[in-house]
């Protein structure tokens, strides 16, 4: 069943697809996956470009009226299929309540929400829509899914565009990944304080007061110093240095400070962003709270701000995550299967173009370069013009250039 809408500059077609919870085991039942097709009024028959959102745990970007940024550029060549990955948005959601009678059952349920299951969902949707092959645009975690797609079902792909999402594919252990991200975030902290040298004293004062005082956010949660250190998530965004500076300059405990401090951490809106986060880097094996184990002391008790790192204490400090506490612990010990087939990727025949951001705080550049060399025929655009959010910041240019690259025009 589908529903079609018209808005200035585009035609929208919304669909709900029924897919197995566990691919290959129909007795486990089904879940719903939502897609929104976006087409130019004169482009209803153009080939499909499937957009894979970053995350994990976030629904697809929503179009504006008229479409703008990367979507506007994509519509010149494609119909864009915006996928709400399983568990997100209008697909059967995973919120505070996870299906299952006990934590062990709930944890098992969530093991079916990784990239491999998302790829299999898309293969069913591709068959349902009668599409011979389609193209992908994967941002961040969406790039990880794209590499899994190239590993599992390359025959369904025409071409692949990846922005800031070249995951390690050559047996890199999860601890290697998080050791590298801690080094990157330390560099970002240093760049931040070089730009705003007066903010270090402000930050230390805030952290000290949060240790000494019971400061409550509008949600009722206590604002702890360790939670406040997670504002370093912004350091990976092109506008993030200024967002952080504008938070630190506000009077401590003012209404504006409290609301902005609460909004600084995105973990609660989409709980599986936290609960499944480390699994996205687990190309085999258990993660065992890798980011937490490898955290430098100053990230735990000092003034080093963290980035996209998860810690066991988050399921205490964030009330919106507490229902996932036991599940998160079980998943940290879960032996995850492989996501990528390095041998198949080395023989890849699907055209691929990708951005590698020099100062990417979230995706280690040296590992991304290693992956670029490991995927046959991949054309890489290594640039220091953008941060991890380049697709959002200047998507029209980035998508245009990647299309030219993947088609051999530049």
């Amino acid at each position: 069943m589908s529903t079609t809408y018209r808005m200035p500059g585009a035609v929208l077609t919304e669909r709900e697809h029924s897919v197995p919870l566990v691919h290959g085991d129909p007795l486990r039942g089904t879940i719903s996956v939502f897609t929104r097709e976006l087409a130019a009024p004169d482009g209803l028959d153009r080939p499909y470009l499937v957009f894979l959102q970053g995350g994990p745990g976030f629904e697809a970007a929503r179009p504006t009226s008229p479409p703008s940024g990367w979507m506007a550029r994509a519509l010149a060549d494609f119909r864009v299929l915006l996928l709400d990955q399983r568990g997100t948005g209008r697909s059967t959601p995973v919120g505070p309540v996870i299906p299952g009678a006990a934590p062990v059952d709930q944890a098992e349920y969530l093991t079916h929400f990784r990239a491999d299951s998302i790829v299999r969902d898309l293969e069913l949707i591709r068959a349902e829509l009668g599409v011979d092959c389609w193209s992908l645009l994967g941002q961040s975690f969406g790039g990880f899914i794209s590499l899994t797609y190239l590993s599992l079902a390359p025959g369904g792909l025409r071409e692949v565009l990846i922005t800031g999402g070249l995951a390690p594919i050559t047996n890199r252990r999860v601890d290697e990944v998080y050791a590298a991200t801690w080094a990157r975030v330390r560099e970002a902290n240093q760049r931040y304080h070089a730009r705003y040298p007066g903010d270090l004293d402000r930050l230390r004062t805030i952290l000290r007061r949060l240790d000494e005082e019971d400061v409550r956010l509008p949600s009722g949660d206590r604002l702890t110093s360790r939670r406040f250190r997670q504002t370093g998530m912004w350091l990976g965004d092109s506008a993030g240095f200024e967002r952080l500076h504008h938070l630190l300059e506000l009077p401590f405990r003012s209404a504006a400070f409290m609301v902005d401090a609460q909004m600084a951490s995105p973990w609660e809106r989409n709980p599986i962003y936290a609960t499944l986060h480390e699994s996205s880097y687990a190309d085999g094996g258990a993660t065992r709270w890798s980011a937490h184990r490898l955290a430098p002391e100053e990230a735990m008790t000092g003034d080093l701000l963290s980035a996209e790192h998860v810690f066991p204490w988050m399921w205490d400090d964030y009330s919106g995550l507490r229902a996932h506490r036991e599940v998160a612990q079980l998943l940290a010990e879960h032996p995850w299967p492989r996501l990528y087939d390095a041998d198949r990727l080395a023989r890849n025949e699907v055209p691929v173009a990708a951005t590698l951001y020099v100062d990417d705080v979230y995706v280690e550049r040296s590992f991304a370069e290693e992956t670029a060399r490991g995927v046959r025929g991949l054309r890489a655009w290594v640039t220091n013009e953008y941060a991890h959010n380049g697709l959002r910041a200047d998507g029209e240019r980035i998508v245009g250039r990647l299309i030219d690259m993947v088609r051999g025009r530049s």
Side-chain angles (χ1 to χ4, degrees):
M1 179 178 176
S2 64
T3 305
T4 299
Y5 303 95
R6 291 184 177 271
M7 69 180 194
V11 179
L12 304 176
T13 303
E14 299 179 349
R15 302 182 180 93
E16 292 186 6
H17 312 266
S18 180
V19 300
L21 169 64
V22 182
H23 288 277
D25 187 355
L27 296 180
R28 292 292 302 275
T30 62
I31 58 175
S32 177
V33 170
F34 173 79
T35 62
R36 176 181 282 114
E37 179 183 314
L38 179 69
D42 63 350
L44 300 179
D45 294 324
R46 287 176 184 154
Y48 277 108
L49 174 73
V50 180
F51 176 64
L52 298 171
Q53 177 69 44
F58 290 95
E59 67 270 30
R62 274 23 187 175
T64 58
S65 174
S68 60
W70 71 262
M71 291 188 195
R73 173 61 188 88
L75 289 179
D77 288 66
F78 300 100
R79 282 178 286 171
V80 177
L81 194 70
L82 300 163
L83 170 75
D84 282 0
Q85 299 161 20
R86 53 169 53 200
T88 74
R90 287 179 57 181
S91 298
T92 301
V94 175
V97 178
I98 307 170
V104 65
D105 304 308
Q106 296 166 352
E108 193 278 335
Y109 181 87
L110 285 188
T111 63
H112 304 293
F113 285 73
R114 284 211 309 167
D116 47 0
S117 295
I118 295 168
V119 168
R120 293 184 175 102
D121 291 344
L122 281 170
E123 280 294 277
L124 290 179
I125 293 169
R126 185 174 65 84
E128 181 182 328
L129 297 180
V131 178
D132 289 335
C133 60
W134 53 22
S135 302
L136 303 180
L137 170 59
Q139 158 64 15
S140 190
F141 174 66
F144 295 15
I145 300 172
S146 301
L147 292 167
T148 301
Y149 211 139
L150 287 165
S151 297
L152 295 178
L157 300 177
R158 175 189 177 196
E159 58 198 358
V160 175
L161 315 176
I162 295 175
T163 55
L166 289 181
I169 60 171
T170 54
N171 254 339
R172 287 284 182 184
R173 300 188 310 276
V174 68
D175 281 7
E176 293 180 86
V177 171
Y178 281 104
T181 63
W182 278 118
R184 291 293 182 193
V185 79
R186 186 189 297 278
E187 294 170 0
N189 274 255
Q190 292 168 348
R191 291 196 304 272
Y192 176 82
H193 291 300
R195 183 180 300 183
Y196 295 111
D199 282 6
L200 185 57
D201 286 341
R202 292 192 186 95
L203 174 62
R204 287 170 173 167
T205 297
I206 290 169
L207 295 173
R208 175 180 54 76
R209 292 191 64 177
L210 291 175
D211 284 336
E212 295 173 351
E213 304 173 25
D214 186 346
V215 178
R216 296 285 163 170
L217 293 165
S219 66
D221 287 349
R222 180 173 178 176
L223 179 57
T224 59
S225 60
R226 60 191 183 184
R227 176 168 172 164
F228 194 80
R229 289 186 190 91
Q230 292 190 297
T231 55
M233 177 81 77
W234 284 339
L235 298 178
D237 187 282
S238 58
F241 281 31
E242 281 58 56
R243 290 183 70 187
L244 179 58
H245 175 67
H246 297 150
L247 172 62
L248 294 178
E249 72 180 0
L250 290 170
F252 183 71
R253 299 191 78 154
S254 67
F257 177 88
M258 300 308 297
V259 170
D260 288 357
Q262 179 170 297
M263 294 176 64
S265 298
W267 305 103
E268 292 177 290
R269 181 184 182 276
N270 302 78
I272 56 175
Y273 179 42
T275 305
L276 288 177
H277 195 274
E278 287 199 349
S279 76
S280 65
Y281 273 115
D283 187 25
T287 63
R288 299 188 178 90
W289 302 112
S290 179
H292 179 69
R293 286 186 292 101
L294 296 172
E297 181 60 32
E298 60 266 43
M300 308 298 284
T301 60
D303 52 38
L304 183 68
L305 302 179
S306 62
E308 206 172 33
H309 302 96
V310 296
F311 307 92
W313 53 258
M314 290 168 56
W315 283 260
D316 295 312
D317 285 22
Y318 292 86
S319 58
L321 297 181
R322 287 173 193 155
H324 284 215
R325 182 192 289 113
E326 292 179 79
V327 171
Q329 185 59 55
L330 288 167
L331 291 177
E333 301 297 330
H334 180 72
W336 295 102
R338 297 295 304 273
L339 287 167
Y340 312 113
D341 185 334
D343 291 337
R344 174 172 276 184
L345 292 170
R347 302 189 307 271
N348 172 61
E349 296 182 355
V350 179
V352 183
T355 61
L356 283 77
Y357 303 125
V358 170
D359 294 320
D360 198 325
V361 174
Y362 306 137
V363 177
E364 168 57 30
R365 184 182 74 239
S366 65
F367 297 164
E369 291 171 341
E370 187 177 79
T371 295
R373 293 190 295 270
V375 178
R376 180 176 177 268
L378 186 149
R379 301 190 69 183
W381 173 17
V382 182
T383 177
N384 63 358
E385 297 176 77
Y386 303 104
H388 188 75
N389 67 316
L391 185 65
R392 187 170 66 249
D394 195 8
E396 194 162 355
R397 177 180 180 236
I398 287 175
V399 167
R401 179 162 177 178
L402 288 179
I403 290 173
D404 288 342
M405 290 171 62
V406 83
R407 296 178 183 174
R409 298 198 295 247
S410 69

